[in-house]
Amino acid sequence: MTKRRSTARRTKSPSTPRRGWALARLWIFYGLLLAVALLGIWTLYLDSVVREKFEGKKWSLPARVYARPLELYQGQSLTPALFEQELRALGYRFESNADAPGKVLKKVSAASHEVTYHIHSRGFAFWDKTEPARKFMLRVGNNEVQGLIDLAGADLPIVRLEPEEIGGFYPADKEDRLLVRLADLPPLLGETLLAVEDKHFLDHHGVSPLAIIRAAWVNATSGEVVQGGSTITQQLVKNFYLTNEQSILRRKIPEAIMSVLLEVHYSKSEILETYINEVFLGQSGSRSINGFALGAQHYFRQPLSELDVHELALLVGVVKGASYYNPWRNPERAKERRNVVLAVMHKEGLIDAQQLKRAQAAPLGIVAEGESRTTTYPAFMELVKRQLNQDYKESDLRSEGLRIFTTLSPMVQRQAEKSMKLRVDQLEKQFKTKNVQGSMVVTSVGGGEILALLGDRNPRFSGFNRALDAKRPVGSLLKPFVYLAALEIPQQYNLGTIISDAPVSYKSGGKWWAPQNADKKDHGDIPLYKGLAYSYNQSTARLGMTIGLDRVAKVVKRAGYEGKVPELPAMLLGAVDMSPMEVAGMYHTLAAEGVYTPLHAIREVLAADGKPLKRYPLELEQRFDAESIFQLQYAMQRTLREGTGRSAYNQIPSAIDLAGKTGTTNDQRDSWFAGYSGEHLAIVWLGRDDNSATPLSGAGGALQVWTDFMKHLPTRSLSQEPPPGVSFDWLDEKTGKLSAETCEGAVWLPLRDDFRPLQSVECELQNKNPIKSFWHKLVN
């Protein structure tokens, strides 16, 4: 009997597939559980990232650097042209009325040639107080302020306009922004931003699925990306936390999660305010323009509060793509985008039909692209940075939002730039030469404030700063200090003392040193003042050697020079290398009646919250007596009236008394001029970087730049009132003895009362001819 085989051997157990599916489900469950756990951990990590940055220090804020404010007062030296240039640089608009901050009304009187301005200033928080916005009237005539009153008719002692921002020290990421609170935002800008970028911002929770679906449909049907589905919160997350990586895992998913987390932790107002200060709106060189407040300055040089409807629309339009809608490079594209935004504003009831029509017809209204850049004075900014580095860390300057108030006068700086460029171009053409470089330092007289600085003939060049770092022989610029050393010996020397300009030679370093005059002539016995006024080498060398090299070297050091002065005969004629800044420091002591003041570029430093951090008080030290300085200054005035600098008065009004000195080195490698009024000191250097010869003497080169600068600058004449102990009298220029007005060879000179000559010269009176006598009096 055959046995039936067991079915267990021929068929599988029905429980086997059930166990397989159960195991698979278990793995899926654990996988999902792991994914949820990882997602939770990732979300917790993203949550910590969101909260840490949002609640901490959101941005590294650059230090902002300001020029000195324009202070207006009765009697101030000012021309309408320079004043209007200053107003335009600050973004003021000339309109038919001054009914809002930033507006100016101009009226010209044909009869009196006076110009009257009605101005509505903006106000500004300075280091000492907050200057309120105010309406006032300014009247300018005869190159000075004739009247300053408020619109109620009361006289104003002084009005201080807001300072021009001239630069900053930017973070490593080169981001720049001006922070603005949501409450200070023009309501129309906020409403337009929501209408264009995220109409349902108040309704969603960070991500809007409907917006994503709608954008996907529009893009699919159009065949290109024409609409985005990102909310304002998502845009903020992308810009604030993430990179521009477009992959879904590396940006889109964390962007969505972080957007929801932002909405969970923070209010809509906080998110929107952060977005308004974060959004990218353009590029200025290597510096990115972030936030609407800085965007307004970048494109219009206006605060947000002063923008018109069409300007607000352009800012909102640029949000979609700052490069694509760049109004300088793509003006038509930018205007088309602006008009689209304006249409949305009208559709949403934010503006009426008349406003829409007027705004769409308006030009873009942007400033010239070069004028939008903030840092326009690289040479001066380099000086500011060097002085700040003595007190502050580099990291603090780039992250703490310091406010730095400087001494730079944009009005003076612009005039210096113009004078340098036009004159050097003209000189190169005139002498058929090239590669002439230049630098210039301008200071206030008495305060030692640096008003302007040029380190290159091209004022925008940010490389080698010749004003600070180019040390060149100063030539005859050193001669005034030789004569000052002599005048400090009043029992031996005054301006009429007779000195010899005969040939001279001295042994130095084993060789004979025998300087000659520039005209190759000997002038015999001359009064002391002529040796300086005409810059004679022979008389200066003899005088310096007579009183002693050590005495002259000490005078140079007392004047403010901190370098080494070689006590060699050639030093007397300027064989000392100095930078224009060092020369300015020495000559400022002369211009300030013998009072030494360290030159400085910074007035005040404030923290981001306005708290004063560092003051730079004025340091004064009387290093020379007023009697000697007044006599020296008079001789330097004669330099411009009759000596090597006399060409200046062919262009400058003769009623303005100025003092100065030319300087020329061997083979005319360096052309110098140092001169001052009662208000401004300016040092000019021209030459070549390779130290090769030029066709320019001090009078033919640097003096011409200086003259162009001074003739257009409102300035105050030197005082002709001698100090106590000094009075004018007539001296005979052949003997140095006392003379009389009508005597042959009589010259009118200041003398110390206690060291006047004891003898008088016998002379023939010249008053027989009244016309000759009158002319003689005018000339002398």
Side-chain angles (χ1 to χ4, degrees):
M1 183 175 179
T2 305
K3 293 183 178 180
R4 185 181 295 176
R5 292 182 177 180
S6 171
T7 57
R9 293 181 179 180
R10 291 181 300 142
T11 61
K12 293 182 180 179
S13 172
S15 64
T16 300
R18 287 198 295 270
R19 286 199 303 271
W21 280 113
L23 185 61
R25 286 196 299 271
L26 186 62
W27 278 109
I28 292 172
F29 172 76
Y30 283 126
L32 290 174
L33 188 63
L34 178 61
V36 170
L38 290 175
L39 181 61
I41 294 172
W42 190 27
T43 301
L44 288 174
Y45 166 73
L46 293 178
D47 185 71
S48 67
V49 171
V50 166
R51 299 180 66 175
E52 180 179 6
K53 186 170 184 180
F54 206 89
E55 295 174 3
K57 184 179 178 182
K58 295 178 182 176
W59 299 287
S60 291
L61 299 177
R64 316 207 79 83
V65 183
Y66 298 94
R68 76 173 191 172
L70 178 60
E71 296 177 337
L72 303 169
Y73 52 88
Q74 185 88 15
Q76 175 191 17
S77 299
L78 190 67
T79 66
L82 291 177
F83 179 55
E84 290 173 24
Q85 189 178 40
E86 190 96 347
L87 290 175
R88 289 190 175 93
L90 292 172
Y92 279 76
R93 305 186 186 194
F94 287 77
E95 299 190 1
S96 59
N97 56 60
D99 57 352
K103 291 187 178 183
V104 181
L105 168 64
K106 175 183 176 181
K107 296 180 179 179
V108 180
S109 171
S112 63
H113 302 290
E114 291 183 341
V115 184
T116 301
Y117 302 92
H118 289 215
I119 303 168
H120 195 154
S121 67
R122 299 188 178 104
F124 191 83
F126 289 97
W127 60 90
D128 52 352
K129 69 173 184 177
T130 297
E131 192 78 27
R134 68 170 80 223
K135 298 179 183 179
F136 65 95
M137 184 179 73
L138 177 77
R139 192 173 74 257
V140 179
N142 295 324
N143 292 341
E144 70 174 27
V145 175
Q146 301 285 351
L148 183 64
I149 61 174
D150 62 27
L151 292 189
D155 288 338
L156 295 172
I158 190 170
V159 171
R160 185 166 47 173
L161 295 180
E162 65 273 21
E164 180 182 340
E165 185 179 334
I166 60 172
F169 299 100
Y170 304 107
D173 57 14
K174 298 295 183 181
E175 287 188 0
D176 192 12
R177 56 178 49 81
L178 289 172
L179 298 185
V180 60
R181 296 181 304 174
L182 194 62
D184 298 328
L185 199 73
L188 184 59
L189 175 63
E191 294 161 355
T192 302
L193 179 65
L194 294 180
V196 173
E197 291 295 322
D198 193 351
K199 188 175 181 179
H200 302 288
F201 176 70
L202 295 177
D203 302 324
H204 63 68
H205 298 286
V207 178
S208 176
L210 290 178
I212 296 173
I213 295 172
R214 181 174 61 251
W217 171 255
V218 171
N219 294 336
T221 55
S222 64
E224 59 179 339
V225 178
V226 298
Q227 189 176 113
S230 296
T231 64
I232 279 180
T233 309
Q234 287 176 277
Q235 293 179 44
L236 174 60
V237 167
K238 181 182 71 173
N239 295 330
F240 200 52
Y241 295 101
L242 307 175
T243 67
N244 288 324
E245 174 63 49
Q246 294 297 312
S247 70
I248 294 178
L249 285 177
R250 296 192 62 182
R251 186 173 68 81
K252 287 297 182 181
I253 292 178
E255 177 186 295
I257 296 173
M258 295 171 83
S259 297
V260 174
L261 291 171
L262 265 183
E263 297 271 356
V264 168
H265 291 300
Y266 308 106
S267 69
K268 293 286 187 180
S269 295
E270 291 174 297
I271 293 171
L272 185 59
E273 182 175 279
T274 304
Y275 176 85
I276 284 166
N277 288 302
E278 172 65 22
V279 63
F280 174 70
L281 292 177
Q283 196 77 24
S284 177
S286 62
R287 178 176 64 112
S288 70
I289 305 300
N290 295 79
F292 284 100
L294 187 60
Q297 294 287 349
H298 179 61
Y299 291 114
F300 306 107
R301 194 171 282 173
Q302 304 282 323
L304 269 176
S305 59
E306 295 178 17
L307 296 189
D308 291 333
V309 171
H310 67 281
E311 294 165 332
L312 292 173
L314 178 62
L315 280 185
V316 174
V318 168
V319 170
K320 188 176 181 181
S323 178
Y324 189 77
Y325 295 108
N326 185 314
W328 289 299
R329 299 179 184 176
N330 306 297
E332 292 304 318
R333 187 185 296 164
K335 189 172 185 179
E336 181 181 349
R337 173 62 181 166
R338 181 202 69 179
N339 289 348
V340 168
V341 173
L342 287 168
V344 172
M345 295 168 73
H346 178 252
K347 178 183 177 182
E348 297 298 327
L350 302 178
I351 59 175
D352 58 32
Q354 186 177 2
Q355 288 176 304
L356 172 65
K357 183 178 180 180
R358 184 169 58 250
Q360 288 185 330
L364 287 175
I366 55 175
V367 299
E369 183 172 10
E371 294 179 4
S372 71
R373 298 178 183 270
T374 302
T375 304
T376 55
Y377 310 114
F380 184 82
M381 286 293 295
E382 174 64 22
L383 174 62
V384 170
K385 183 177 180 180
R386 293 186 191 186
Q387 294 191 355
L388 285 172
N389 282 341
Q390 299 175 17
D391 300 301
Y392 298 94
K393 297 179 181 178
E394 181 85 9
S395 58
D396 292 338
L397 294 177
R398 297 187 181 277
S399 64
E400 297 302 320
L402 303 181
R403 300 172 67 213
I404 300 158
F405 294 90
T406 73
T407 62
L408 183 127
S409 168
M411 180 190 301
V412 177
Q413 175 75 25
R414 283 188 281 267
Q415 185 57 47
E417 293 175 0
K418 182 179 179 181
S419 301
M420 177 68 74
K421 177 178 178 7
L422 293 180
R423 179 55 71 170
V424 172
D425 287 349
Q426 188 271 329
L427 289 171
E428 286 189 332
K429 184 177 180 180
Q430 175 185 345
F431 290 100
K432 296 181 174 56
T433 188
K434 59 183 180 179
N435 299 327
V436 174
Q437 265 298 346
S439 61
M440 190 171 182
V441 180
V442 184
T443 78
S444 64
V445 171
E449 293 190 333
I450 299 169
L451 306 179
L453 192 76
L454 298 179
D456 190 283
R457 62 184 288 183
N458 174 11
R460 306 286 85 81
F461 179 72
S462 59
F464 182 59
N465 193 330
R466 293 165 187 81
L468 305 181
D469 300 323
K471 292 182 178 289
R472 305 290 288 252
V474 297
S476 295
L477 292 192
L478 207 69
K479 288 179 180 175
F481 302 94
V482 177
Y483 288 84
L484 178 57
L487 291 170
E488 286 195 310
I489 314 174
Q491 60 272 27
Q492 296 182 36
Y493 296 100
N494 61 52
L495 292 184
T497 301
I498 302 303
I499 60 176
S500 173
D501 189 54
V504 64
S505 61
Y506 296 96
K507 201 166 187 178
S508 175
K511 297 181 180 180
W512 284 98
W513 178 68
Q516 291 183 308
N517 291 324
D519 60 5
K520 307 300 182 184
K521 297 179 181 179
D522 307 327
H523 302 95
D525 290 342
I526 59 172
L528 185 140
Y529 83 90
K530 274 195 173 182
L532 180 58
Y534 290 87
S535 199
Y536 292 149
N537 291 333
Q538 295 174 172
S539 58
T540 303
R542 178 177 277 104
L543 178 64
M545 294 300 292
T546 301
I547 62 178
L549 292 172
D550 59 335
R551 184 186 292 270
V552 175
K554 289 176 181 177
V555 166
V556 171
K557 300 286 284 186
R558 281 162 55 203
Y561 180 58
E562 296 181 352
K564 182 179 179 180
V565 181
E567 293 187 17
L568 300 172
M571 173 268 289
L572 300 170
L573 302 185
V576 183
D577 293 348
M578 297 184 188
S579 69
M581 178 66 74
E582 289 172 325
V583 172
M586 295 168 56
Y587 267 80
H588 181 266
T589 304
L590 303 184
E593 301 178 348
V595 177
Y596 169 74
T597 301
L599 301 184
H600 57 284
I602 303 171
R603 283 184 166 184
E604 190 87 18
V605 178
L606 305 184
D609 60 2
K611 180 182 178 181
L613 294 180
K614 175 75 175 181
R615 285 187 170 87
Y616 295 81
L618 185 63
E619 299 177 28
L620 303 173
E621 181 183 351
Q622 187 80 47
R623 293 193 175 180
F624 300 97
D625 62 75
E627 296 91 338
S628 298
I629 290 292
F630 184 82
Q631 293 178 82
L632 178 71
Q633 181 173 286
Y634 185 80
M636 293 173 68
Q637 289 178 252
R638 300 292 288 250
T639 299
L640 285 171
R641 292 288 183 184
E642 63 185 75
T644 56
R646 60 188 177 276
S647 66
Y649 277 108
N650 293 333
Q651 303 177 59
I652 296 175
S654 59
I656 300 178
D657 289 304
L658 305 165
K661 185 70 189 75
T662 55
T664 311
T665 60
N666 292 340
D667 299 322
Q668 300 184 155
R669 290 184 172 91
D670 302 280
S671 171
W672 290 92
F673 190 79
Y676 54 91
S677 67
E679 193 173 358
H680 299 99
L681 162 73
I683 311 297
V684 179
W685 169 86
L686 299 181
R688 291 198 175 104
D689 288 336
D690 62 4
N691 201 32
S692 61
T694 77
L696 306 175
S697 65
L703 173 62
Q704 303 307 310
V705 176
W706 184 89
T707 301
D708 287 350
F709 170 72
M710 293 298 290
K711 73 180 181 182
H712 291 112
L713 185 71
T715 193
R716 188 174 64 251
S717 181
L718 285 169
S719 172
Q720 298 303 301
E721 183 67 27
V726 174
S727 59
F728 282 85
D729 208 336
W730 295 96
L731 293 184
D732 178 50
E733 64 177 359
K734 290 183 179 180
T735 65
K737 298 178 181 179
L738 290 173
S739 184
E741 178 179 358
T742 56
C743 290
E744 181 76 28
V747 59
W748 186 245
L749 295 173
L751 299 170
R752 286 182 184 246
D753 293 338
D754 48 354
F755 292 102
R756 299 165 63 82
L758 300 177
Q759 296 179 316
S760 299
V761 67
E762 294 183 5
C763 63
E764 294 184 5
L765 299 182
Q766 290 188 335
N767 59 356
K768 297 176 183 179
N769 189 323
I771 295 178
K772 287 186 177 181
S773 179
F774 179 69
W775 176 253
H776 184 77
K777 185 175 181 179
L778 281 179
V779 171
N780 290 281

